[in-house]
Amino acid sequence: MIPFNIPAVTGKELSYIQEAISNKKICGDGPFTKKVAEWIEDYIPTKRALLTTSCTHALEMTAMLADIHPGDEVIMPSFTFISTANAFVLRGAKIVFVDIRPDTLNLDESLIESAITSKTKAIVPVHYAGVSCEMDSIMDLAKKNGLLVIEDAAQGVMSTYKGRALGSIGHMGCYSFHETKNFTCGEGGALLLNEESFVSRAEIIREKGTNRSRFFRGQVDKYSWVDIGSSYLPSELNAAYLYAQFDQAQTINDDRIASWNDYYAGLKELEQQERIDLPTVPVHCKHNAHIFYIKTKDLSERTRLLRYLNENGVGAAFHYVPLHSTSVGLKHGLFHREDRYTTQESDRLIRLPMYYRLTKDQIGRVIDMIYSFYAVSTANQFRTGVGLG
Ligand SMILES: *Cc1c(COP(=O)(O)O)cnc(C)c1O
């Protein structure tokens, strides 16, 4: 059995959690919360990183910071996780879904401008599989039209676009540390504030609408209710676990990239034979191997291959059901123009097992199984391609 995902463990998690317990400080914003935030601020970098209880919550915070009100419109892909939309729907926004590009499965930047109206407030690019959207075009459009750009970089930690880290390019960016993501603490996230002007309000929103952060810094002599907000600050125990991952961030990233490259090299032949499509990574994007996916001919072939892999012990999985195909999606949003690629490409997609310390032998078995499904002999070219000998 090769599972789809195993949450990363680097070995220091327990000792850091023990340290947090010994500190007698396990609520949020203790030493480990600060260490992780500092890592993000230094490495990414961003003006300010706030650890949150999830990426969903980081997105909810951005909707408050963007002052989204009922009737406002927010542009995003339909090929994304529910939280991307929900965060804005909770504030009364209407979601305008724009089609994706068939190569990267990211928002098609050339279609965004025609979706902008006088009610549009924000564009939310989602960096699928940790591969960047075309951020230069998106930032130019936003500037021209006075819009905010909120990056859903849940999958994009340590990926870059023209050398700039995902999450640090828009006005705000959101990361996820859910157990399915590259760096994890089970449930967790971060909000990246790339403009100073959002920082003080974001601290308040994260602390239940109070100015408690300023109080603890001695900047006010009592704390009170000053804005809307919620409880978006994670526990020190989660932050301690997460710090053990960021301690080893480069190791985790390198290991995943090596696995991704092995899949790619091993499956190249099948793509050349036009049986499947492999992921596209534009030359100016550096990805983080969050997902390795292949695309089959169509939905029916996808269903058969998925069943074949699952029956043979490979935890392969499809991905998003487009949001506009659900009744909630239609109630709160509309698809701008034609759905040319969103449904078609999501129907063809299969994600293969991908996690820290996936072995070459496991990758080889998955690849062999895919070749055998297509009844193409793999024995020679794959094993030399991936170096199993
Ligand atoms: C995982 C994910 C989320 C949600 O992250 P949580 O931390 O689980 O709330 C949001 N958007 C995208 C694109 C994701 O992949």
Side-chain angles (χ1 to χ4, degrees), residues 54-57 59 80-81 83-84 126 152 154-155 175-178 180-181 187-188 320:
S54 64
C55 179
T56 301
H57 283 167
L59 286 161
T80 184
F81 188 61
S83 296
T84 320
V126 179
D152 182 341
Q155 304 177 9
Y175 286 166
S176 173
F177 307 126
H178 184 260
T180 51
K181 301 305 201 285
E187 302 279 355
Y320 305 126

Side-chain angles (χ1 to χ4, degrees), residues 261-282:
N261 290 341
D262 286 347
Y263 271 131
Y264 194 91
L267 290 165
K268 191 75 198 157
E269 171 88 22
L270 266 186
E271 183 180 57
Q272 280 157 358
Q273 294 177 10
E274 298 183 0
R275 308 278 185 141
I276 60 170
D277 284 325
L278 295 180
T280 302
V281 181

